[in-house]
Amino acid sequence: MGAAVRALLLLALVAAGAEALSLDVHHRYSATVRRWAGLRTGPAPGTAEYYAALAGHDDLRRRSLSLAAAAAAPVPGAGGPLAFADGNDTYRLNAFGFLHYAVVALGTPNVTFLVALDTGSDLFWVPCDCLKCAPLTSPEYGNLKFDVYSPRKSSTSRKVPCSSDLCDLQTQCSAATNSCPYKIEYLSDNTSSNGVLVEDVLYLATESGKSKITQAPITFGCGRVQTGSFLGSAAPNGLLGLGMDSKSVPSLLASQGVAANSFSMCFGEDGHGRINFGDTGSADQLETPLNIYKHNPYYNISIIGAKAGGKTFSTKFSAVVDSGTSFTALSDPMYTEITSAFHKQVKEKRNQADSSLPFEYCYTISAKGALSYPNISLTAKGGSIFPVNDPIITITDISSTPVGYCLAIMKSEGVNLIGENFMSGLKVVFDRERLVLGWKSFNCYSVDHSSKLPVSPNPSAVPPKPASGPGSSNPEAAKRPSPNITQIDAAKPSSGSSIHLHFSRTFLFAAIAPLFLAIL
Ligand SMILES: *[C@@H]1O[C@H](CO)[C@@H](O)[C@H](O)[C@H]1NC(C)=O
Ligand SMILES: *[C@@H]1O[C@H](CO)[C@@H](O)[C@H](O)[C@H]1NC(C)=O
Ligand SMILES: *[C@@H]1O[C@H](CO)[C@@H](O)[C@H](O)[C@H]1NC(C)=O
Ligand SMILES: *[C@@H]1O[C@H](CO)[C@@H](O)[C@H](O)[C@H]1NC(C)=O
Ligand SMILES: *[C@@H]1O[C@H](CO)[C@@H](O)[C@H](O)[C@H]1NC(C)=O
Ligand SMILES: *[C@@H]1O[C@H](CO)[C@@H](O)[C@H](O)[C@H]1NC(C)=O
């Protein structure tokens, strides 16, 4: 898009924002999820088992990253940034495969779903007219009760025929007017979803001003049969694809002109985050171009250098920015260069007590007080510095006392992945229109005042402190020092408007889990 056209679009966005109405959204379901997210399930955070479980997910993701899908470039959209009608909050739910989840509403009357957010796949699906779906209630879900979708029960539901452009399995149709079938296989543990494509309205809310709920028609999978992880630990209530392909939710919103062809995700250090569709970023963000190939659906960037403490490298490699991976994984020579330079500058004693840990460089915390590990940053194509706010994980004993730490970079045999731990403390903008990745240090609880778009704070959207956060007895300062980061050129968020959830500090490197790659 030319500069003039872009300026015009921005003007239109500003105008839309200025007349936007205030939100009157229903947060009851969100509040339940939020409380539940604070409860501890699975291996205790910080323990070796916990990191081993996370790394296992990542391993699956890496092995799956060899497949491809066609990229599409939908028409740019207009309108202010949008959130799901239940708000733009995302929650890292460790009990559900460490994925990030959001609450979405679909259909008339609306039904709400707690869906996994995945930048590594495209199709959105929810459990629907179930032949085989995850249970709707379970002791593992706490007091959450899931719903299913049914086209027959929604007055706005429409069939997607085999003749639709979005129908990939046309060869399996006996007639062009039949419902389009879909089947997605994900490589983790024979995990899949299949059913038919349907169209219905997705409820979205404008970010700024007063209440304005938008209904966007969205094509998604009516998932009648799920297998593998979808019956157990991951995405029990649906999965929302955020990839580059034409079937992903950002692509559909942009092609209809509902939102600009860009979205942002904020990765809070405590596991709380944000997602906003149509967010084109801010003037003060740093950027790098996306490498786009026809058969490459990923958010792929070029790294031209790295820094570990006082040592700089001019190493060049490409990496996929993957919110579906917990820990950054690099292949050699970058892996060895960066990790060994880090190691040479660490003062603490090396420790390899627990072989179940997937990390090569671990250290014993001996004395009390601040750790002083070397800073790590990457330099992206164009020269922008990508700061790594949380390169380490802290290992705790069963009483949550920190006993050691590891450099949380895994060795990859193939693809380089910038995982969620490297995005901690950043707002990342996936600008599919300009084909750039943008980022800035950001507190996910703040309003981005430097945004190109007017945003007014909505007090009802500020999450309250959870009733039972596992971290309530763990003062942050005792867990680990505040990381001494490479500053980027970004305006500091106003601290007055931020409220922190007191999750255990050890939650911060946990992540969205893995995998979920579509083989269509
Ligand atoms: C989205 O997040 C911002 C903080 O980044 C918040 O101020 C705003 O109210 C949120 N909007 C909605 C719709 O929840
Ligand atoms: C969903 O339906 C309920 C009534 O069942 C209504 O109160 C609520 O506003 C609806 N949500 C949206 C986003 O339209
Ligand atoms: C996947 O399914 C195949 C055949 O049904 C089976 O042989 C294989 O062990 C399964 N893999 C896993 C990880 O469950
Ligand atoms: C990322 O882009 C580079 C080209 O710059 C390409 O060689 C590489 O295969 C891409 N990686 C993936 C996983 O698609
Ligand atoms: C970073 O380190 C410098 C010097 O070591 C120190 O003065 C500064 O306060 C540190 N910043 C943070 C955020 O800890
Ligand atoms: C980390 O980076 C900060 C800011 O650039 C710097 O002040 C500090 O000295 C660095 N810390 C170490 C241990 O290198």
Side-chain angles (χ1 to χ4, degrees):
M1 182 162 50
V5 179
R6 186 167 167 73
L8 273 178
L9 174 58
L10 286 174
L11 275 177
L13 292 174
V14 169
E19 65 168 38
L21 311 158
S22 98
L23 286 170
D24 177 24
V25 294
H26 297 265
H27 285 278
R28 275 168 300 147
Y29 191 70
S30 296
T32 308
V33 173
R34 192 179 301 130
R35 273 195 303 279
W36 187 79
L39 301 175
R40 203 184 267 188
T41 40
T47 60
E49 297 75 46
Y50 178 76
Y51 296 119
L54 277 175
H57 282 285
D58 283 358
D59 193 42
L60 289 166
R61 171 70 120 191
R62 268 198 308 287
R63 276 186 270 132
S64 74
L65 263 175
S66 54
L67 293 153
V75 182
L82 293 171
F84 296 120
D86 256 69
N88 57 15
D89 305 80
T90 66
Y91 313 91
R92 187 179 57 220
L93 300 180
N94 299 347
F96 291 163
F98 308 97
L99 290 158
H100 258 282
Y101 288 79
V103 177
V104 302
L106 278 177
T108 313
N110 68 71
V111 181
T112 49
F113 298 89
L114 180 65
V115 296
L117 302 171
D118 184 28
T119 57
S121 66
D122 292 304
L123 187 75
F124 173 27
W125 62 264
V126 293
C128 165
D129 285 351
C130 291
L131 295 176
K132 203 169 149 203
C133 294
L136 302 180
T137 58
S138 157
E140 287 162 30
Y141 302 170
N143 56 2
L144 292 179
K145 188 180 179 308
F146 293 142
D147 266 318
V148 292
Y149 176 83
S150 176
R152 280 172 289 115
K153 291 183 184 156
S154 172
S155 61
T156 41
S157 183
R158 285 168 53 187
K159 177 168 111 175
V160 175
C162 285
S163 55
S164 164
D165 290 346
L166 293 171
C167 187
D168 288 328
L169 295 183
Q170 287 176 355
T171 52
Q172 296 188 10
C173 298
S174 51
T177 53
N178 284 3
S179 279
C180 173
Y182 81 90
K183 180 167 172 69
I184 317 176
E185 289 178 352
Y186 302 80
L187 291 192
S188 80
D189 304 336
N190 295 334
T191 293
S192 69
S193 170
N194 75 72
V196 294
L197 295 183
V198 292
E199 187 192 290
D200 208 336
V201 294
L202 172 68
Y203 294 83
L204 298 163
T206 49
E207 273 257 298
S208 47
K210 296 191 197 155
S211 174
K212 179 93 171 76
I213 302 286
T214 305
Q215 298 183 15
I218 287 287
T219 295
F220 58 94
C222 165
R224 304 181 66 188
V225 177
Q226 273 67 243
T227 63
S229 301
F230 293 154
L231 295 177
S233 58
N237 203 215
L239 183 141
L240 192 135
L242 295 163
M244 291 291 295
D245 189 67
S246 58
K247 278 187 295 298
S248 76
V249 170
S251 299
L252 293 171
L253 295 178
S255 66
Q256 293 164 20
V258 172
N261 193 13
S262 183
F263 70 96
S264 67
M265 287 182 85
C266 190
F267 297 89
E269 300 194 356
D270 59 5
H272 179 269
R274 301 277 181 193
I275 182 164
N276 286 301
F277 296 103
D279 184 351
T280 52
S282 53
D284 62 356
Q285 72 184 6
L286 297 183
E287 293 184 350
T288 194
L290 289 171
N291 299 325
I292 300 295
Y293 290 94
K294 191 162 186 269
H295 296 293
N296 190 331
Y298 303 110
Y299 298 103
N300 178 338
I301 62 170
S302 295
I303 301 297
I304 57 169
K307 194 162 188 274
K311 181 123 172 69
T312 53
F313 310 94
S314 58
T315 179
K316 288 187 169 52
F317 59 98
S318 68
V320 171
V321 178
D322 186 3
S323 67
T325 286
S326 305
F327 301 119
T328 293
L330 300 176
S331 56
D332 270 331
M334 297 72 72
Y335 172 82
T336 301
E337 282 177 356
I338 294 173
T339 55
S340 59
F342 179 93
H343 176 61
K344 286 192 188 113
Q345 296 172 66
V346 168
K347 293 181 195 74
E348 282 83 15
K349 191 165 149 277
R350 185 150 176 207
N351 167 24
Q352 262 167 333
D354 199 323
S355 59
S356 67
L357 280 172
F359 307 112
E360 192 175 346
Y361 293 102
C362 294
Y363 306 91
T364 305
I365 299 176
S366 42
K368 288 203 172 62
L371 297 175
S372 62
Y373 55 85
N375 292 333
I376 292 184
S377 66
L378 303 174
T379 306
K381 184 176 176 180
S384 296
I385 304 292
F386 190 96
V388 180
N389 294 331
D390 284 309
I392 65 162
I393 57 160
T394 308
I395 310 296
T396 58
D397 61 17
I398 42 166
S399 60
S400 295
T401 307
V403 292
Y405 72 94
C406 300
L407 175 59
I409 301 178
M410 296 178 67
K411 187 167 180 174
S412 167
E413 299 305 329
V415 173
N416 299 303
L417 294 172
I418 295 179
E420 202 251 0
N421 70 322
F422 270 37
M423 292 187 262
S424 183
L426 298 181
K427 176 177 157 183
V428 182
V429 176
F430 300 85
D431 191 331
R432 302 129 48 86
E433 173 61 31
R434 292 168 57 226
L435 298 177
V436 296
L437 183 87
W439 64 88
K440 66 190 279 186
S441 289
F442 199 65
N443 172 336
C444 302
Y445 295 95
S446 302
V447 174
D448 193 351
H449 291 298
S450 59
S451 170
K452 292 164 187 162
L453 301 159
V455 281
S456 47
N458 169 20
S460 73
V462 176
K465 188 179 161 182
S468 58
S472 46
S473 60
N474 295 331
E476 290 194 356
K479 302 298 279 182
R480 44 170 298 211
S482 101
N484 213 328
I485 66 166
T486 304
Q487 287 297 321
I488 62 167
D489 180 23
K492 282 262 174 270
S494 113
S495 55
S497 59
S498 64
I499 294 175
H500 293 269
L501 294 185
H502 295 276
F503 283 120
S504 164
R505 191 69 177 173
T506 50
F507 266 93
L508 64 143
F509 8 81
I512 323 180
L515 191 345
F516 304 129
L517 180 76
I519 314 170
L520 287 167

PDB file of all heavy atoms in Angstrom, residues 372 375 481-485 487, ligand 5:
ATOM      1  N   SER A 372      23.057 -11.699  38.064  1.00  0.00           N
ATOM      2  CA  SER A 372      23.498 -10.788  37.011  1.00  0.00           C
ATOM      3  C   SER A 372      23.935 -11.606  35.809  1.00  0.00           C
ATOM      4  O   SER A 372      25.105 -11.784  35.560  1.00  0.00           O
ATOM      5  CB  SER A 372      24.631  -9.911  37.513  1.00  0.00           C
ATOM      6  OG  SER A 372      25.723 -10.732  37.860  1.00  0.00           O
ATOM      7  N   ASN A 375      22.817  -9.983  29.332  1.00  0.00           N
ATOM      8  CA  ASN A 375      21.646  -9.621  28.523  1.00  0.00           C
ATOM      9  C   ASN A 375      21.730 -10.322  27.176  1.00  0.00           C
ATOM     10  O   ASN A 375      22.804 -10.504  26.628  1.00  0.00           O
ATOM     11  CB  ASN A 375      21.656  -8.118  28.213  1.00  0.00           C
ATOM     12  CG  ASN A 375      21.418  -7.274  29.451  1.00  0.00           C
ATOM     13  OD1 ASN A 375      20.785  -7.742  30.383  1.00  0.00           O
ATOM     14  ND2 ASN A 375      21.917  -6.055  29.439  1.00  0.00           N
ATOM     15  N   PRO A 481      15.663 -11.496  39.893  1.00  0.00           N
ATOM     16  CA  PRO A 481      15.803 -10.053  39.735  1.00  0.00           C
ATOM     17  C   PRO A 481      15.034  -9.583  38.518  1.00  0.00           C
ATOM     18  O   PRO A 481      14.704 -10.369  37.646  1.00  0.00           O
ATOM     19  CB  PRO A 481      17.293  -9.882  39.498  1.00  0.00           C
ATOM     20  CG  PRO A 481      17.697 -11.152  38.839  1.00  0.00           C
ATOM     21  CD  PRO A 481      16.841 -12.221  39.448  1.00  0.00           C
ATOM     22  N   SER A 482      14.797  -8.312  38.462  1.00  0.00           N
ATOM     23  CA  SER A 482      14.177  -7.803  37.252  1.00  0.00           C
ATOM     24  C   SER A 482      15.239  -7.850  36.166  1.00  0.00           C
ATOM     25  O   SER A 482      16.370  -7.426  36.357  1.00  0.00           O
ATOM     26  CB  SER A 482      13.671  -6.393  37.486  1.00  0.00           C
ATOM     27  OG  SER A 482      14.552  -5.454  36.955  1.00  0.00           O
ATOM     28  N   PRO A 483      14.901  -8.446  35.036  1.00  0.00           N
ATOM     29  CA  PRO A 483      15.930  -8.649  34.026  1.00  0.00           C
ATOM     30  C   PRO A 483      16.433  -7.314  33.510  1.00  0.00           C
ATOM     31  O   PRO A 483      15.674  -6.387  33.320  1.00  0.00           O
ATOM     32  CB  PRO A 483      15.198  -9.413  32.936  1.00  0.00           C
ATOM     33  CG  PRO A 483      13.748  -9.206  33.184  1.00  0.00           C
ATOM     34  CD  PRO A 483      13.598  -8.911  34.634  1.00  0.00           C
ATOM     35  N   ASN A 484      17.712  -7.230  33.291  1.00  0.00           N
ATOM     36  CA  ASN A 484      18.313  -5.980  32.859  1.00  0.00           C
ATOM     37  C   ASN A 484      18.354  -5.996  31.341  1.00  0.00           C
ATOM     38  O   ASN A 484      19.234  -6.558  30.735  1.00  0.00           O
ATOM     39  CB  ASN A 484      19.721  -5.888  33.460  1.00  0.00           C
ATOM     40  CG  ASN A 484      20.059  -4.458  33.761  1.00  0.00           C
ATOM     41  OD1 ASN A 484      19.611  -3.555  33.064  1.00  0.00           O
ATOM     42  ND2 ASN A 484      20.842  -4.253  34.798  1.00  0.00           N
ATOM     43  N   ILE A 485      17.362  -5.413  30.751  1.00  0.00           N
ATOM     44  CA  ILE A 485      17.139  -5.625  29.328  1.00  0.00           C
ATOM     45  C   ILE A 485      17.818  -4.576  28.468  1.00  0.00           C
ATOM     46  O   ILE A 485      18.163  -3.508  28.926  1.00  0.00           O
ATOM     47  CB  ILE A 485      15.642  -5.634  28.996  1.00  0.00           C
ATOM     48  CG1 ILE A 485      15.038  -4.239  29.240  1.00  0.00           C
ATOM     49  CG2 ILE A 485      14.923  -6.681  29.797  1.00  0.00           C
ATOM     50  CD1 ILE A 485      13.670  -4.096  28.634  1.00  0.00           C
ATOM     51  N   GLN A 487      17.262  -1.858  26.205  1.00  0.00           N
ATOM     52  CA  GLN A 487      16.096  -0.998  26.000  1.00  0.00           C
ATOM     53  C   GLN A 487      15.853  -0.744  24.526  1.00  0.00           C
ATOM     54  O   GLN A 487      16.785  -0.578  23.760  1.00  0.00           O
ATOM     55  CB  GLN A 487      16.308   0.339  26.712  1.00  0.00           C
ATOM     56  CG  GLN A 487      16.203   0.228  28.208  1.00  0.00           C
ATOM     57  CD  GLN A 487      14.829  -0.214  28.658  1.00  0.00           C
ATOM     58  OE1 GLN A 487      13.830   0.210  28.101  1.00  0.00           O
ATOM     59  NE2 GLN A 487      14.776  -1.078  29.646  1.00  0.00           N
TER      60      GLN A 487
HETATM   61  C1  LIG B   5      20.698  -2.476  34.728  1.00  0.00           C
HETATM   62  O1  LIG B   5      22.033  -2.501  35.113  1.00  0.00           O
HETATM   63  C2  LIG B   5      22.569  -1.232  35.426  1.00  0.00           C
HETATM   64  C3  LIG B   5      24.038  -1.364  35.700  1.00  0.00           C
HETATM   65  O2  LIG B   5      24.404  -2.694  35.922  1.00  0.00           O
HETATM   66  C4  LIG B   5      21.815  -0.652  36.601  1.00  0.00           C
HETATM   67  O3  LIG B   5      22.286   0.614  36.912  1.00  0.00           O
HETATM   68  C5  LIG B   5      20.362  -0.570  36.244  1.00  0.00           C
HETATM   69  O4  LIG B   5      19.625  -0.135  37.357  1.00  0.00           O
HETATM   70  C6  LIG B   5      19.840  -1.908  35.800  1.00  0.00           C
HETATM   71  N1  LIG B   5      18.486  -1.789  35.323  1.00  0.00           N
HETATM   72  C7  LIG B   5      17.523  -2.574  35.767  1.00  0.00           C
HETATM   73  C8  LIG B   5      16.192  -2.349  35.166  1.00  0.00           C
HETATM   74  O5  LIG B   5      17.705  -3.446  36.603  1.00  0.00           O
END
